Amino acid sequence: MPLKFICLSDTHAQVPPKADERDVTAWLHAGDFCNMGLKTADYARLRRIEIWAKQRRVPILAVLGNHDCGHGTDFLRKCAHDITGKVVQVAPHFFVAGIGWCGIRFFDLPDEAALRPVCEKVLTRARFEMSAGDHCILLTHYPAYLPLLFPCDGDRAGFMFDCVREVIDVLKPLAVIQGHAHHLFASLGLFKTGGHDVVIANPGPDGGLLTVDEEKPIAVFEPWLPVPRR
């Protein structure tokens, strides 16, 4: 039976868009749930986000983004399940793996050395949690470095990562839901690794619907914005 996931990222302390949760397995949030560590928070708006989270009919799975630092980490974990560095089962033979990171300040960005331990932790957990024939989605705030799909003009440091691509090569997820790079909002690409097709999408704050069929296996992402295909 196909699984459906409502996907979004980089909502930056805004209430997420309305979405039909019927037949949905979970919400997937690819980080920057908060904004600037909530230092300039509108507390009435944060209360609306808390109410929104409590009203969800299905779990909200999220990873930490650079804006989810300080008090933002606690707020994200109050509203969602933080799966940073984890591999969680969401259906028989199907998992979601999470890569995220935040520093002391919202403008702190990881380098390869900082993000690699999170990636290695995910791969370790996958070896324990997943069996042959299982499938997964990779939920990551930080995009993999895939220049043929998503060219990076200038310095990619802090924005696109070899260690995330290495996780994709090992896990071979059916889909990657990523955030962080605002210029890639609503972007969609297909990456081939080891003869396996991986759908890679950056839903942005307007979101989209990911449908996976592990029996075929295939994944389809439908953004709720016009999509620049790559």
Side-chain angles (χ1 to χ4, degrees):
M1 179 178 176
L3 304 175
K4 295 180 180 181
F5 300 86
I6 300 169
C7 305
L8 68 167
S9 71
D10 301 272
T11 49
H12 290 284
Q14 298 289 335
V15 178
K18 294 181 179 179
D20 186 352
E21 292 180 284
R22 289 176 297 178
D23 301 321
V24 167
T25 298
W27 289 71
L28 303 181
H29 195 295
D32 281 0
F33 189 86
C34 304
N35 194 56
M36 300 174 64
L38 301 181
K39 287 184 178 179
T40 58
D42 173 346
Y43 291 100
R45 186 170 64 201
L46 297 187
R47 179 58 181 158
R48 290 195 293 272
I49 295 172
E50 288 184 47
I51 293 171
W52 170 86
K54 290 178 181 178
Q55 291 176 340
R56 295 310 95 212
R57 298 170 58 186
V58 297
I60 305 167
L61 307 183
V63 292
L64 294 171
N66 53 293
H67 278 261
D68 301 318
C69 57
H71 295 300
T73 302
D74 293 333
F75 185 76
L76 180 148
R77 291 171 177 168
K78 186 176 184 179
C79 296
H81 300 284
D82 177 12
I83 65 165
T84 298
K86 300 177 182 178
V87 176
V88 299
Q89 188 169 10
V90 294
H93 308 293
F94 203 88
F95 296 77
V96 179
I99 296 174
W101 182 94
C102 65
I104 297 173
R105 300 155 299 189
F106 71 92
F107 49 81
D108 293 334
L109 298 177
D111 57 13
E112 290 280 348
L115 195 60
R116 186 170 294 278
V118 182
C119 293
E120 292 174 350
K121 185 176 181 180
V122 164
L123 292 177
T124 298
R125 293 314 310 165
R127 286 193 290 270
F128 278 100
E129 302 292 344
M130 297 177 63
S131 303
D134 290 343
H135 294 287
C136 72
I137 296 166
L138 178 61
L139 181 65
T140 175
H141 184 63
Y142 300 98
Y145 181 51
L146 300 169
L148 296 181
L149 278 181
F150 307 114
C152 182
D153 296 331
D155 188 2
R156 66 180 176 93
F159 287 92
M160 296 181 177
F161 293 84
D162 291 321
C163 58
V164 178
R165 188 205 65 248
E166 292 164 11
V167 172
I168 297 172
D169 288 337
V170 174
L171 292 187
K172 297 178 176 55
L174 293 186
V176 177
I177 301 299
Q178 61 189 20
H180 193 45
H182 289 206
H183 68 287
L184 294 180
F185 285 170
S187 65
L188 178 63
L190 190 66
F191 176 60
K192 290 183 178 292
T193 176
H196 182 81
D197 291 338
V198 181
V199 171
I200 300 183
N202 186 321
D206 289 296
L209 183 68
L210 175 69
T211 304
V212 296
D213 188 332
E214 58 179 320
E215 293 182 1
K216 293 187 177 180
I218 58 171
V220 177
F221 179 75
E222 302 171 89
W224 294 326
L225 281 175
V227 58
R229 294 186 179 273
R230 297 177 185 270

